[in-house]
Amino acid sequence: MPTADLDALVEEARAAIAATESPDDLTRVRAGYLGRKGTIAEVLRGIGKLAPEERSQVGAAANTAKRRVETLADERRAQLEQRATLQSLEEHRLDVTLAGAAPAAGHLHPITRVMRDMVDFFVSLGFSLEEGPEVETDWHNFEALNIPKDHPARDMQDTFYLEDGHVLRTHTSNVQIRVMTGRQPPFRFVAPGRVYRHDLSPRHSPMFNQIEGFMVDERVTFADLKGVLLAFGRHLFGDDVELRFRANHFPFTEPSAEIDYSCELCDSQGCKMCSGTCWVEWGGCGMIHPRVLERCGIDAQRYQGFAFGMGIDRTASRRYGIPHLRHLFEGDLRVLEQI
Ligand code: PHE
């Protein structure tokens, strides 16, 4: 092949390479000129048949042509790759100024919220926060609270007994004994926590939350108790709430009362939440029995005090409109996420 034809071949290759639009395309076109069966390889193969004086000239020209086509193909490949990079950058353009997706935040459980709200109120009155064990001795849960062995509250129906003689505390009143034993008044404490009763009726839960509060000093009266509870009720249910004290019996208080508050939902019309009575049971209270103080090593002639204990869960279920207490304990996110 004359060298002028080789120049024409390079020009043809230049045009063909420039016309390629993708790396695959280019690979194919390049092979058409440079591959084993390509045009230039054909020329190199034909050299053997040439006259000896032509061989070196055509061989050198063919090699030059080969290198030029290689260079053209390499340049085009670099161009195509750069173009592809730019194109993909364009397609996947990120708007870094867009607002990010906020991470899903959890929230406090409704019972925790109400519990903290209650504790905050008492802390603002100068009460301290206490805790007691849920697995408790018979002494702290019963005996020291003046609940004798044959008292109905000890009935197997109410109390979960552990094999080693401990009980699951049936109320938070054990904290009175835990706090007062070995210390001397004045005392002002609140103690929220879980309590357990063996009650399988569907309206009750075998575990629920109570808050205990007590105050002991030299001149604490039932009037102080009423004043503190009324302020507590107003904090929780609004300024218009009324409290009702009904005479009752607890072995560890004397006198004792049950407390109801006026239903804040029905506005004295009677509703489903208060079963039409306009009053809601809230808890128990009274003046701490002198025998309890004595069992804690406190001089009951000099000191006296009040104590109260109420359920927390019902307040939470009313506040957040959750009809069944069990919904509060099941941890079902479909319920909790609505709050
Ligand atoms: N411990 C009583 C109960 O669980 C409530 C209570 C507490 C009553 C303190 C009087 C004083 O029912």
Side-chain angles (χ1 to χ4, degrees):
M1 184 184 262
T3 50
D5 288 354
L6 277 170
D7 285 343
L9 189 65
V10 169
E11 281 317 305
E12 183 199 307
R14 180 196 302 283
I17 286 170
T20 57
E21 286 300 335
S22 72
D24 286 350
D25 215 10
L26 177 62
T27 303
R28 217 170 358 86
V29 169
R30 186 185 191 277
Y33 292 98
L34 300 175
R36 260 192 324 121
K37 292 180 181 159
T39 327
I40 291 177
E42 218 173 279
V43 172
L44 287 170
R45 262 198 303 277
I47 283 177
K49 294 184 199 124
L50 292 177
E53 61 276 15
E54 272 182 318
R55 277 183 203 167
S56 66
Q57 205 203 343
V58 174
N63 277 324
T64 307
K66 183 180 165 197
R67 276 197 301 277
R68 283 171 68 193
V69 175
E70 277 172 354
T71 308
L72 287 168
D74 288 349
E75 285 169 1
R76 181 62 181 161
R77 187 169 299 280
Q79 264 177 11
L80 287 174
E81 279 169 0
Q82 200 196 5
R83 200 167 78 177
T85 308
L86 289 176
Q87 203 175 337
S88 112
L89 282 176
E90 187 61 36
E91 275 169 19
H92 302 106
R93 182 180 281 278
L94 283 183
D95 184 351
V96 293
T97 66
L98 278 178
H107 61 73
L108 293 175
H109 192 280
I111 292 178
T112 308
R113 281 203 228 168
V114 169
M115 201 183 267
R116 290 193 184 177
D117 183 30
M118 291 177 166
V119 168
D120 286 349
F121 169 78
F122 281 105
V123 166
S124 79
L125 290 190
F127 284 59
S128 305
L129 181 62
E130 268 293 334
E131 267 184 339
E134 291 171 31
V135 174
E136 189 51 291
T137 64
D138 188 274
W139 169 260
H140 291 90
N141 194 77
F142 293 125
E143 200 68 44
L145 286 162
N146 196 32
I147 304 179
K149 282 267 185 276
D150 53 2
H151 193 277
R154 289 182 164 228
D155 199 295
M156 281 299 283
Q157 293 214 348
D158 289 324
T159 307
F160 287 108
Y161 287 92
L162 304 186
E163 278 171 5
D164 64 359
H166 282 77
V167 299
L168 294 185
R169 68 173 173 186
T170 57
H171 51 188
T172 42
S173 299
N174 67 326
V175 182
Q176 293 184 34
I177 309 304
R178 291 267 165 200
V179 169
M180 290 196 288
T181 303
R183 289 195 235 175
Q184 287 301 314
F187 298 126
R188 264 183 296 180
F189 285 102
V190 274
R194 292 195 177 99
V195 303
Y196 302 86
R197 286 184 203 175
H198 191 277
D199 182 344
L200 296 180
S201 68
R203 288 197 53 208
H204 291 93
S205 156
M207 184 284 295
F208 55 101
N209 293 276
Q210 276 191 334
I211 185 164
E212 189 85 5
F214 57 96
M215 175 172 173
V216 179
D217 207 337
E218 289 186 7
R219 274 194 296 272
V220 178
T221 68
F222 204 98
D224 295 316
L225 170 62
K226 290 180 87 169
V228 166
L229 289 182
L230 185 59
F232 185 32
R234 286 179 174 160
H235 173 77
L236 293 178
F237 307 118
D239 284 346
D240 295 334
V241 77
E242 286 175 56
L243 298 187
R244 181 167 82 170
F245 291 77
R246 283 183 287 115
N248 195 36
H249 173 77
F250 296 106
F252 38 92
T253 45
E254 183 59 38
S256 305
E258 283 216 275
I259 324 146
D260 303 330
Y261 65 91
S262 53
C263 177
E264 82 281 27
L265 300 175
C266 72
D267 205 13
S268 318
Q269 302 300 308
C271 71
K272 261 216 303 243
M273 293 301 272
C274 59
S275 316
T277 64
C278 304
W279 291 100
V280 184
E281 271 183 41
W282 201 20
C285 66
M287 299 305 290
I288 298 176
H289 200 292
R291 220 173 281 159
V292 174
L293 294 175
E294 278 157 14
R295 283 180 190 171
C296 296
I298 293 161
D299 180 354
Q301 296 296 322
R302 182 170 166 201
Y303 294 108
Q304 67 294 137
F306 65 71
F308 57 85
M310 18 259 205
I312 294 177
D313 313 312
R314 196 164 314 160
T315 304
S317 84
R318 292 173 70 89
R319 179 171 291 183
Y320 296 106
I322 301 164
H324 292 289
L325 285 186
R326 102 188 114 78
H327 288 321
L328 284 174
F329 302 134
E330 280 170 348
D332 188 332
L333 284 178
R334 289 171 304 178
V335 174
L336 295 177
E337 276 172 355
Q338 293 176 43
I339 295 162

Coordinates of all heavy atoms in Angstrom, one line a residue, residues 68-112:
R68 N -0.4 7.1 15.3 CA -1.3 8.3 15.2 C -2.7 7.9 15.5 O -3.4 8.6 16.2 CB -1.2 8.9 13.8 CG 0.1 9.8 13.6 CD 0.3 10.2 12.2 NE -0.6 11.2 11.8 CZ -0.8 11.6 10.5 NH1 -0.1 11.0 9.6 NH2 -1.7 12.5 10.2
V69 N -3.1 6.8 14.9 CA -4.5 6.3 15.2 C -4.6 6.0 16.7 O -5.6 6.4 17.3 CB -4.9 5.1 14.3 CG1 -6.3 4.6 14.7 CG2 -4.9 5.5 12.9
E70 N -3.6 5.4 17.3 CA -3.6 5.1 18.7 C -3.8 6.4 19.5 O -4.6 6.5 20.4 CB -2.4 4.4 19.2 CG -2.4 2.9 18.9 CD -1.0 2.3 19.2 OE1 0.0 3.0 19.4 OE2 -0.9 1.0 19.1
T71 N -3.0 7.4 19.2 CA -3.1 8.7 19.9 C -4.5 9.3 19.7 O -5.0 9.8 20.7 CB -2.0 9.6 19.3 OG1 -0.8 9.0 19.3 CG2 -1.9 10.9 20.2
L72 N -5.0 9.3 18.5 CA -6.3 9.8 18.3 C -7.4 9.1 19.1 O -8.2 9.8 19.8 CB -6.7 9.7 16.8 CG -6.0 10.6 15.8 CD1 -6.2 10.2 14.4 CD2 -6.4 12.1 16.0
A73 N -7.3 7.8 19.2 CA -8.2 7.0 19.9 C -8.1 7.3 21.4 O -9.1 7.5 22.2 CB -8.1 5.5 19.7
D74 N -6.8 7.4 21.9 CA -6.6 7.7 23.3 C -7.2 9.1 23.7 O -7.9 9.3 24.7 CB -5.1 7.7 23.7 CG -4.6 6.3 23.7 OD1 -5.4 5.3 23.6 OD2 -3.3 6.1 23.7
E75 N -7.0 10.1 22.8 CA -7.5 11.4 23.1 C -9.0 11.4 23.1 O -9.6 12.0 24.0 CB -7.0 12.4 22.0 CG -5.5 12.8 22.2 CD -5.0 13.5 21.0 OE1 -5.8 13.8 20.0 OE2 -3.8 13.9 21.0
R76 N -9.6 10.7 22.2 CA -11.0 10.7 22.1 C -11.6 10.0 23.4 O -12.6 10.4 23.9 CB -11.5 9.9 20.9 CG -13.0 9.9 20.7 CD -13.6 11.3 20.5 NE -15.1 11.2 20.4 CZ -15.9 12.3 20.6 NH1 -15.3 13.4 21.0 NH2 -17.2 12.2 20.5
R77 N -10.9 8.9 23.8 CA -11.4 8.2 25.0 C -11.4 9.1 26.2 O -12.3 9.2 27.0 CB -10.5 7.0 25.3 CG -11.1 6.1 26.4 CD -10.4 4.8 26.5 NE -10.6 3.9 25.3 CZ -11.7 3.2 25.0 NH1 -12.7 3.2 25.9 NH2 -11.7 2.5 23.9
A78 N -10.3 9.9 26.3 CA -10.2 10.8 27.5 C -11.4 11.8 27.4 O -12.0 12.1 28.4 CB -8.8 11.6 27.5
Q79 N -11.6 12.3 26.2 CA -12.7 13.3 26.0 C -14.1 12.7 26.4 O -14.8 13.3 27.1 CB -12.8 13.6 24.5 CG -12.1 14.9 24.1 CD -12.3 15.1 22.6 OE1 -13.1 14.4 21.9 NE2 -11.5 16.0 22.0
L80 N -14.3 11.4 25.9 CA -15.6 10.8 26.2 C -15.7 10.6 27.7 O -16.8 10.8 28.2 CB -15.7 9.5 25.4 CG -15.9 9.6 23.9 CD1 -15.9 8.2 23.3 CD2 -17.2 10.3 23.6
E81 N -14.6 10.2 28.3 CA -14.7 9.9 29.8 C -15.0 11.2 30.5 O -15.8 11.2 31.5 CB -13.5 9.2 30.3 CG -13.5 7.7 30.0 CD -12.2 7.0 30.2 OE1 -11.2 7.7 30.6 OE2 -12.1 5.8 30.0
Q82 N -14.4 12.2 30.1 CA -14.6 13.5 30.8 C -16.1 13.9 30.6 O -16.7 14.4 31.6 CB -13.7 14.6 30.3 CG -13.5 15.7 31.3 CD -12.9 16.9 30.6 OE1 -12.7 16.9 29.4 NE2 -12.7 17.9 31.4
R83 N -16.5 13.7 29.4 CA -17.9 14.1 29.1 C -18.9 13.3 30.0 O -19.8 13.8 30.6 CB -18.2 13.9 27.6 CG -19.4 14.7 27.2 CD -19.5 14.7 25.7 NE -20.0 13.4 25.2 CZ -20.3 13.1 23.9 NH1 -20.0 14.0 23.0 NH2 -20.8 12.0 23.5
A84 N -18.6 12.0 30.1 CA -19.5 11.1 30.9 C -19.4 11.6 32.4 O -20.5 11.6 33.1 CB -19.0 9.7 30.8
T85 N -18.2 12.0 32.9 CA -18.1 12.4 34.3 C -19.0 13.7 34.5 O -19.8 13.8 35.4 CB -16.7 12.7 34.6 OG1 -15.9 11.6 34.3 CG2 -16.5 13.1 36.1
L86 N -18.8 14.6 33.5 CA -19.6 15.9 33.7 C -21.1 15.6 33.6 O -21.8 16.2 34.4 CB -19.2 16.9 32.5 CG -17.8 17.5 32.7 CD1 -17.4 18.3 31.5 CD2 -17.7 18.3 34.0
Q87 N -21.4 14.7 32.7 CA -22.9 14.4 32.6 C -23.4 13.8 33.9 O -24.5 14.2 34.3 CB -23.0 13.4 31.4 CG -24.4 13.5 30.8 CD -24.4 12.5 29.6 OE1 -23.4 12.2 29.0 NE2 -25.6 12.1 29.2
S88 N -22.7 12.9 34.5 CA -23.2 12.3 35.7 C -23.2 13.3 36.8 O -24.1 13.3 37.7 CB -22.4 11.0 36.0 OG -21.6 11.1 37.2
L89 N -22.2 14.2 36.8 CA -22.2 15.2 37.9 C -23.5 16.1 37.7 O -24.1 16.4 38.7 CB -21.0 16.1 37.8 CG -19.7 15.5 38.4 CD1 -18.5 16.4 38.1 CD2 -19.9 15.2 39.9
E90 N -23.8 16.4 36.5 CA -24.9 17.2 36.2 C -26.2 16.5 36.6 O -27.1 17.1 37.3 CB -25.0 17.5 34.7 CG -26.0 18.5 34.3 CD -25.8 19.9 34.9 OE1 -24.6 20.3 35.1 OE2 -26.8 20.5 35.3
E91 N -26.3 15.2 36.3 CA -27.5 14.4 36.6 C -27.7 14.3 38.1 O -28.8 14.3 38.6 CB -27.5 13.0 35.9 CG -28.0 13.0 34.5 CD -27.6 11.7 33.8 OE1 -27.3 10.7 34.5 OE2 -27.6 11.7 32.6
H92 N -26.6 14.0 38.8 CA -26.7 13.8 40.2 C -26.4 15.0 41.0 O -25.9 15.0 42.1 CB -25.8 12.6 40.7 CG -26.1 11.4 39.9 ND1 -25.3 10.9 38.9 CD2 -27.2 10.5 40.0 CE1 -25.8 9.8 38.4 NE2 -27.0 9.5 39.0
R93 N -26.8 16.2 40.5 CA -26.5 17.4 41.2 C -27.1 17.4 42.6 O -28.3 17.1 42.7 CB -27.0 18.6 40.3 CG -26.8 19.9 40.9 CD -27.4 21.0 39.9 NE -26.6 21.2 38.8 CZ -25.5 22.0 38.8 NH1 -25.2 22.6 39.8 NH2 -24.8 22.2 37.7
L94 N -26.4 17.8 43.6 CA -26.9 17.9 44.9 C -27.1 19.3 45.3 O -26.3 20.2 45.1 CB -25.8 17.4 45.9 CG -25.7 15.9 46.0 CD1 -24.6 15.5 47.1 CD2 -27.0 15.2 46.4
D95 N -28.3 19.6 45.8 CA -28.6 20.9 46.3 C -28.2 20.9 47.8 O -29.0 20.5 48.7 CB -30.1 21.3 46.1 CG -30.3 22.7 46.6 OD1 -29.4 23.3 47.2 OD2 -31.4 23.2 46.3
V96 N -27.0 21.4 48.1 CA -26.6 21.3 49.5 C -27.3 22.3 50.4 O -27.1 22.4 51.6 CB -25.0 21.5 49.6 CG1 -24.3 20.3 49.0 CG2 -24.6 22.8 49.0
T97 N -28.1 23.2 49.7 CA -28.8 24.2 50.5 C -30.1 23.7 51.0 O -30.8 24.4 51.8 CB -29.0 25.5 49.7 OG1 -29.9 25.2 48.7 CG2 -27.7 26.1 49.2
L98 N -30.6 22.5 50.5 CA -31.9 22.0 50.9 C -31.8 21.7 52.4 O -30.8 21.3 52.9 CB -32.2 20.7 50.1 CG -32.8 20.9 48.8 CD1 -33.0 19.5 48.2 CD2 -34.1 21.6 48.8
A99 N -33.0 21.9 53.1 CA -33.1 21.5 54.5 C -32.9 20.0 54.6 O -33.5 19.3 53.8 CB -34.4 22.0 55.0
G100 N -32.2 19.6 55.6 CA -32.0 18.2 55.9 C -33.2 17.5 56.4 O -34.1 18.2 56.9
A101 N -33.3 16.2 56.4 CA -34.4 15.5 57.0 C -34.1 15.4 58.5 O -33.1 15.0 58.9 CB -34.5 14.1 56.4
A102 N -35.1 15.9 59.3 CA -34.9 15.9 60.7 C -34.9 14.4 61.2 O -35.7 13.6 60.8 CB -36.1 16.7 61.4
P103 N -34.0 14.1 62.1 CA -34.0 12.7 62.7 C -35.2 12.5 63.5 O -35.7 13.5 64.2 CB -32.7 12.7 63.5 CG -32.4 14.1 63.8 CD -32.9 14.9 62.7
A104 N -35.8 11.3 63.4 CA -37.0 11.0 64.2 C -36.6 11.1 65.7 O -35.8 10.3 66.1 CB -37.5 9.7 63.8
A105 N -37.3 11.9 66.4 CA -37.0 12.1 67.9 C -38.1 11.3 68.6 O -39.3 11.4 68.3 CB -37.0 13.5 68.3
G106 N -37.7 10.6 69.7 CA -38.7 10.0 70.5 C -39.3 11.0 71.5 O -39.0 12.2 71.4
H107 N -40.1 10.6 72.4 CA -40.6 11.5 73.5 C -40.7 10.7 74.7 O -40.8 9.5 74.7 CB -41.8 12.2 73.0 CG -43.0 11.3 72.8 ND1 -43.7 10.7 73.8 CD2 -43.6 11.0 71.6 CE1 -44.7 10.0 73.3 NE2 -44.6 10.1 71.9
L108 N -40.9 11.4 75.8 CA -41.1 10.7 77.1 C -42.4 10.1 77.1 O -43.4 10.5 76.6 CB -41.0 11.8 78.2 CG -39.6 12.4 78.4 CD1 -39.7 13.5 79.5 CD2 -38.6 11.3 78.7
H109 N -42.5 8.9 77.8 CA -43.7 8.2 78.0 C -44.7 9.1 78.8 O -44.3 9.8 79.7 CB -43.4 6.9 78.7 CG -44.5 5.9 78.7 ND1 -45.6 6.1 79.6 CD2 -44.8 4.8 78.0 CE1 -46.5 5.1 79.4 NE2 -46.0 4.3 78.4
P110 N -46.0 9.0 78.4 CA -46.9 9.9 79.2 C -46.9 9.7 80.7 O -47.0 10.7 81.4 CB -48.3 9.4 78.6 CG -48.0 8.3 77.6 CD -46.6 8.3 77.3
I111 N -46.6 8.5 81.1 CA -46.5 8.3 82.6 C -45.3 9.0 83.2 O -45.4 9.7 84.2 CB -46.5 6.8 82.9 CG1 -47.8 6.2 82.6 CG2 -46.1 6.6 84.4 CD1 -47.9 4.7 82.9
T112 N -44.2 8.9 82.4 CA -43.0 9.6 82.9 C -43.2 11.1 82.9 O -42.8 11.8 83.9 CB -41.8 9.3 81.9 OG1 -41.7 7.9 81.7 CG2 -40.5 9.9 82.4

